[in-house]
Amino acid sequence: MTTPSETQSAHRVSDDRLLSALLDGMDAALFAVDSGGRITHWNRQAERLLGWTAEQAVGRKGLGGWAVRDADATDVNDRLLGVLRRTANPSGRQVQEFPLLRRDGGRLLVRAQVSAVRAPDGRSTGAYCAFSEVHAQLDLERNLSLSEALLADSPWAVLVVDPDLRTVAANGRVAQALDITPVDMLGEPLAEFFGAGMEELESALEHTLAGQAPDGPVELWLTQAEDPCREDQFGIPPVPAAAGDRRCLLGGFLRLGSPLAPQAPPLGVAWIFQDVTHSRRAGQGAARRAFRDGQLSRASRAAAECEDPREAAMLHLHYALAGFAEHALLDVAVPGPAAARAPGLVRTAESPAAFAPPVGTAGVAVRYRPGHPALQAFERGVPVRTTGGTGRSDWAAEHRWPPEAEHALCVVLRSRARSLGVLTFLRGHGRRPFDRADAAYGEDVALRLAAAVDLGGAAGAC
């Protein structure tokens, strides 16, 4: 039969083994001293860093002469035991830096956290010292500081996702770039916030998780997905983005792994980027303008060698279509019964490109219905932009345009204070609608065409 004293002794042995296992399993080096400065505990991390085994360390009084130089022993001992008698520090905890000696004689500067050990009655019975090499500690603190800086006041947007591509952290720059509060993004899949371009983003994230991150910065054009339920910090729904409004995000991808295991699965990916939409669009606009100016210059030089005004007009149409539209129609005005108010438009030239070859319609009067964009441009003297082929299959047919047309730009031909006709540019499937810059370019082309038509004298001369 087991007596109570034997049971208590067995529990004590079990507790001692548990304490020993906990100390040896710690990632930090640790030793403990009693109130007299005698070593009572020495774990395996301390043995790994300094080379002294627990059998060699436990029981020694103080660290001087073996783990600390004799010249430093008094100072180190006072700092270790200082937590026992300092009343100015109610927590009984201090962070210290001091040099220790390895068993091979080398010196090691450590950063240590020294804490008092108290009995149930509050009396100090000793102290323990958890320490690590100061350079390793500084590296850890720098890493933590870097993480906090990136997620706080970094000039770059930082978005962290887990292996399931769900957002786990986002800084303020992300909110500015995407018009989404970080709170709304946390825990949500990225696919909830992006439309076009999401496949490229997912591919980059998945390759990074697999250890094949892109070598250099990646430029992604993304369209933000519409969410009618989203609200800002004041509870106000955001202004819907314009159709086709894309953002160019330039950045890199970093695979995040645990430093505690050499072959641990990835913790996620950090996407660090900047919104460079404005500069990229400005660059694209400059390149587009330079190309179009070059086309106008080449067309003018080629047309100058033409004797036939109609041939010169066709050259202008061919040069204008490159990169601008798929089809162009030139309709010249011929006075009708009501003269200036109801002119007849005669198809003079057309320049097909991607569309199917049209039926020859040169010289045939075009019967546009009232309110047609070409008639509006002629009557008002300003460019008219229209779109609608995407939603209506009969839209192009109603306007007497090729069936593939989805976007149109109609520009009036003006020369010597007269309206001579209408120039129509058409874009097909997959192209964006005409914008103001396109209308300005269309007017430049129309000025050159108007000069060619006016030079011919009339539609019959062309």
Side-chain angles (χ1 to χ4, degrees):
M1 182 176 180
T2 304
T3 62
S5 60
E6 291 176 344
T7 302
Q8 292 178 0
S9 177
H11 288 169
R12 189 179 303 109
V13 171
S14 177
D15 291 344
D16 291 342
R17 289 177 179 175
L18 176 60
L19 176 60
S20 177
L22 291 174
L23 293 178
D24 288 339
M26 291 179 60
D27 293 326
L30 180 140
F31 67 87
V33 297
D34 59 18
S35 57
R38 190 176 300 277
I39 305 297
T40 60
H41 296 83
W42 190 271
N43 73 350
R44 290 183 180 176
Q45 283 296 324
E47 177 181 345
R48 184 185 65 82
L49 284 179
L50 300 178
W52 302 98
T53 64
E55 290 78 7
Q56 295 171 325
V58 173
R60 291 200 183 196
K61 185 175 178 59
L63 300 174
W66 61 286
V68 173
R69 293 193 313 173
D70 290 334
D72 301 327
T74 302
D75 177 63
V76 173
N77 186 67
D78 289 344
R79 287 199 275 174
L80 285 176
L81 300 180
V83 295
L84 303 181
R85 55 180 179 270
R86 290 190 179 181
T87 58
N89 186 11
S91 65
R93 179 177 301 174
Q94 291 181 350
V95 176
Q96 303 279 356
E97 287 186 8
F98 45 77
L100 297 180
L101 281 179
R102 294 191 182 95
R103 187 178 179 184
D104 59 7
R107 299 185 71 190
L108 180 69
L109 182 63
V110 301
R111 176 171 293 184
Q113 178 177 291
V114 185
S115 301
V117 179
R118 303 186 186 279
D121 58 0
R123 186 170 46 86
S124 298
T125 60
Y128 73 84
C129 175
F131 65 95
S132 61
E133 187 177 1
V134 69
H135 298 294
Q137 183 69 19
L138 289 176
D139 288 342
L140 175 61
E141 292 179 3
R142 274 192 291 264
N143 291 337
L144 293 175
S145 178
L146 174 62
S147 300
E148 292 179 356
L150 287 175
L151 293 173
D153 53 0
S154 170
W156 290 75
V158 181
L159 182 66
V160 181
V161 297
D162 62 14
D164 295 326
L165 304 187
R166 294 179 179 271
T167 307
V168 296
N171 66 355
R173 295 286 180 173
V174 174
Q176 295 178 11
L178 305 180
D179 294 331
I180 307 172
T181 61
V183 175
D184 291 335
M185 298 190 70
L186 294 182
E188 299 294 335
L190 279 184
E192 297 290 333
F193 304 99
F194 297 107
M198 185 60 202
E199 293 182 359
E200 291 79 2
L201 176 57
E202 285 185 344
S203 176
L205 292 171
E206 290 171 355
H207 277 79
T208 303
L209 287 171
Q212 301 174 358
D215 295 334
V218 178
E219 186 175 292
L220 295 173
W221 284 90
L222 297 170
T223 302
Q224 188 174 346
E226 294 295 336
D227 184 1
C229 299
R230 189 179 303 146
E231 297 178 347
D232 63 10
Q233 57 181 336
F234 301 106
I236 301 175
V239 178
D245 184 19
R246 298 191 303 161
R247 297 182 180 180
C248 183
L249 306 179
L250 175 67
F253 299 87
L254 302 175
R255 185 177 186 268
L256 304 180
S258 173
L260 303 179
Q263 296 182 349
L267 300 177
V269 176
W271 179 27
I272 304 175
F273 63 89
Q274 278 188 329
D275 188 349
V276 295
T277 307
H278 180 73
S279 61
R280 291 297 185 269
R281 284 180 176 169
Q284 291 176 350
R288 185 182 300 115
R289 286 192 297 271
F291 174 76
R292 290 177 177 178
D293 290 344
Q295 289 294 101
L296 291 175
S297 178
R298 284 190 287 270
S300 298
R301 290 195 300 268
E305 303 299 326
C306 298
E307 297 181 0
D308 185 357
R310 177 175 177 177
E311 183 181 355
M314 286 297 299
L315 280 175
H316 279 292
L317 287 186
H318 287 314
Y319 276 96
L321 283 180
F324 183 69
E326 281 83 22
H327 208 77
L329 308 174
L330 175 59
D331 301 325
V332 174
V334 176
R341 294 189 56 83
L345 292 178
V346 176
R347 179 65 43 80
T348 302
E350 53 186 294
S351 181
F355 291 125
V359 179
T361 56
V364 177
V366 184
R367 298 182 180 277
Y368 289 136
R369 60 175 176 78
H372 190 280
L375 297 180
Q376 293 183 29
F378 187 88
E379 293 169 0
R380 299 174 184 175
V382 295
V384 175
R385 292 174 285 155
T386 182
T387 185
T390 305
R392 294 174 51 190
S393 59
D394 57 346
W395 178 82
E398 290 178 357
H399 289 79
R400 296 184 176 274
W401 288 330
E404 296 86 352
E406 293 188 358
H407 313 289
L409 169 65
C410 299
V411 187
V412 64
L413 303 179
R414 296 284 296 176
S415 179
R416 293 190 297 165
R418 295 177 301 145
S419 295
L420 303 182
V422 178
L423 173 62
T424 301
F425 292 103
L426 301 173
R427 286 177 178 171
H429 176 71
R431 297 290 298 272
R432 60 177 179 82
F434 292 96
D435 56 20
R436 292 182 179 179
D438 296 330
Y441 176 67
E443 287 183 303
D444 289 339
V445 177
L447 287 173
R448 289 160 172 78
L449 277 170
V453 172
D454 196 14
L455 182 63
C462 294

